[in-house]
């Protein structure tokens, strides 16, 4: 988890630097950190503290790369095209993360665990394509021109729209609760559902697939529903949770996974799109805040699962079900609060 922890300060640093320096230069710096930290693990493998330091450096580099990969998009896309591109970028990161996680395991088994770290060299390919294909100057200048009408002092001190924090908290809670749920999916499938180990493996990989599909179709959905994509997202999660809480067979469990997977594919791009729209002058900082929320949600989910294990004490059938009931309650409340959020958003925008 040291890499995930390192991403949190890197989001803060990336948000600050993203407003003060060229984003392409920031990509190169982040990529160097990612490559150096990933490859230095091999000669430093005899010292656990150096290994942890290397993993921390990798986390810093990958964190800024994740942030800039979406923060740079408003410079080149807008409107429906922007929301579609954000969905595809996030889908691509999840897809390739899944591919390389499995590939590293295969290489590690065949050639030893150190050899798996050579996969960090793959970053050279997208980095070269980025340097060649991405223009040095933004193509979308509307927001920049509007910001330039203000003095530099006013632009620097422009407050963050409070709705950014609301969307961040919603995303953080979703990641914490749902990650806590699906980290127990194997126990749920083999225990409560009575499935096989092979079926548990299928369930664990299928949620990543459906999350990928959700992010791929996100742009079209967001283009039609706009901010109300959030409500669709919540409804789909509630449906998936209800199906999961009553599932007794493996096919029904997979249906629950499909609903939850697609809905979770919507969470990150919905929050990022809303933050860009409500805070266009501070979109780098807004995206950094939102990314920190996602990272904290993932990080805290481990401790949330530990808490559920403590409070369950055999009173309910499984920790999975306890978490499901928490999720349903939170989502139902979030659905009601979201209408107040939209009203507040209008008030803040008007002011």
């Amino acid at each position: 988890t040291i890499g995930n922890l390192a991403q949190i300060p890197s989001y803060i640093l990336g948000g600050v630097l993203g407003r003060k320096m060229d984003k392409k230069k920031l990509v190169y710096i982040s990529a160097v950190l990612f490559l150096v930290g990933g490859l230095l693990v091999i000669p430093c493998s005899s010292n656990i503290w150096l290994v942890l330091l290397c993993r921390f450096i990798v986390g810093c580099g990958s964190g800024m790369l994740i942030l800039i990969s979406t923060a740079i998009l408003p410079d080149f896309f807008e409107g429906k095209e922007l929301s579609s591109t954000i969905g595809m970028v996030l889908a691509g990161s999840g897809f390739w993360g899944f591919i390389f996680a499995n590939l590293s395991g295969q290489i590690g088994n065949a050639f030893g665990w150190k050899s798996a770290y050579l996969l960090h060299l793959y970053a050279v390919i997208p980095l070269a394509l980025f340097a060649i294909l991405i223009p040095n100057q933004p193509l979308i200048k509307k927001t920049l021109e509007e910001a330039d009408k203000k003095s530099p002092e006013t632009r620097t001190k422009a407050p963050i729209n409070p709705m950014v924090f609301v969307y961040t908290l919603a995303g953080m809670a979703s990641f914490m609760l749902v990650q806590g749920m699906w980290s127990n999916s194997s126990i749920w499938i083999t225990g409560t559902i009575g499935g096989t180990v092979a079926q548990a493996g299928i369930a664990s990989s299928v949620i990543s697939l459906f999350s990928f599909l959700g992010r791929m179709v996100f742009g079209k959905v967001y283009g039609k529903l706009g901010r109300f994509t959030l409500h669709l997202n919540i409804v789909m999660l509630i449906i998936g949770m209800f199906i999961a809480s009553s599932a007794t067979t493996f096919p029904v469990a997979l249906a629950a996974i499909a609903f939850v997977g697609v809905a979770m594919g919507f969470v990150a791009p919905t929050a990022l799109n809303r933050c860009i729209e409500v805070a266009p002058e501070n979109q780098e900082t807004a995206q950094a805040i939102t990314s920190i929320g996602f990272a904290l949600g993932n990080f805290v989910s481990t401790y949330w699962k530990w808490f559920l294990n403590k409070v369950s004490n055999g009173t309910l059938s499984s920790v999975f079900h306890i978490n499901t009931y928490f999720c349903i309650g939170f989502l139902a409340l979030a659905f009601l609060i979201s209408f107040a959020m939209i009203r507040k958003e209008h008030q803040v925008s008007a002011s």
Side-chain angles (χ1 to χ4, degrees), residues 109-329:
N109 286 331
F111 304 104
W113 67 271
K114 292 182 184 180
S115 60
Y117 282 89
L118 292 174
L119 281 174
H120 286 87
L121 289 170
Y122 84 89
V124 172
I125 298 174
L127 181 63
L129 292 174
F130 181 89
I132 296 170
L133 300 177
I134 302 299
N136 291 322
Q137 298 298 323
L139 301 181
I140 304 299
K141 299 183 178 180
K142 179 180 177 182
T143 301
L144 299 178
E145 289 171 355
E146 290 177 352
D148 285 338
K149 294 177 182 177
K150 302 181 178 180
S151 66
E153 294 80 10
T154 303
R155 203 163 56 236
T156 301
K157 297 178 181 178
I160 295 291
N161 189 318
M163 293 308 300
V164 170
F165 298 98
V166 175
Y167 285 115
T168 298
L169 287 173
M172 175 181 171
S174 297
F175 273 81
M176 183 190 79
L177 292 169
V178 176
Q179 285 294 105
M181 173 182 175
W182 294 108
S183 62
N184 287 290
S185 61
S186 297
I187 299 174
W188 174 52
I189 294 295
T190 56
T192 306
I193 304 301
T196 64
V197 174
Q199 288 175 328
I202 293 172
S204 298
S205 60
V206 161
I207 189 171
S208 299
L209 172 62
F210 278 98
S211 180
F212 167 75
L213 294 175
R215 290 178 176 182
M216 288 298 294
V217 302
F218 166 79
K220 292 184 178 179
V221 175
Y222 194 85
K224 293 183 180 296
L225 299 181
R227 60 169 61 91
F228 293 103
T229 306
L230 174 66
H231 299 84
L232 174 64
N233 192 359
I234 293 173
V235 169
M236 290 186 67
L237 280 171
I238 290 176
I239 292 174
M241 298 301 181
F242 269 121
I243 296 174
S245 64
S246 59
T248 57
T249 63
F250 182 65
V252 176
L254 282 182
I257 290 173
F259 271 101
V260 173
V262 172
M264 283 306 295
F266 282 6
V267 169
T270 299
L272 289 173
N273 267 279
R274 297 305 306 138
C275 288
I276 291 171
E277 291 175 5
V278 302
E281 295 178 11
N282 297 288
Q283 63 96 2
E284 295 92 349
T285 305
Q287 289 194 59
I289 293 170
T290 308
S291 298
I292 290 170
F294 297 158
L296 283 174
N298 279 322
F299 185 75
V300 174
S301 66
T302 302
Y303 300 95
W304 174 248
K305 183 176 69 172
W306 172 84
F307 171 74
L308 292 181
N309 279 317
K310 296 289 287 185
V311 301
S312 64
N313 198 27
T315 56
L316 292 175
S317 58
S318 68
V319 172
F320 183 91
H321 283 84
I322 302 174
N323 193 67
T324 299
Y325 303 142
F326 269 104
C327 283
I328 292 174

Side-chain angles (χ1 to χ4, degrees), residues 68-78 82 85-86 89 140:
I68 297 301
S69 67
T70 53
I72 200 172
L73 296 180
D75 291 347
F76 302 99
F77 305 96
E78 59 183 348
L82 174 60
T85 307
I86 288 176
V89 168
I140 304 299

Side-chain angles (χ1 to χ4, degrees), residues 21-80:
M21 65 181 295
D22 180 69
K23 292 188 182 72
K24 288 192 72 172
K25 293 181 181 177
L26 187 55
V27 168
Y28 301 145
I29 294 172
S30 305
V32 168
L33 289 174
F34 178 80
L35 286 168
V36 170
L39 296 176
L40 277 180
V41 170
I42 299 174
C44 296
S45 60
S46 59
N47 188 314
I48 185 60
W49 296 108
L50 289 178
V51 170
L52 291 176
L53 175 62
C54 291
R55 297 304 297 162
F56 188 87
I57 294 172
V58 169
C60 290
S62 63
M64 286 197 287
L65 285 172
I66 291 169
L67 174 63
I68 297 301
S69 67
T70 53
I72 200 172
L73 296 180
D75 291 347
F76 302 99
F77 305 96
E78 59 183 348
K80 294 181 179 180

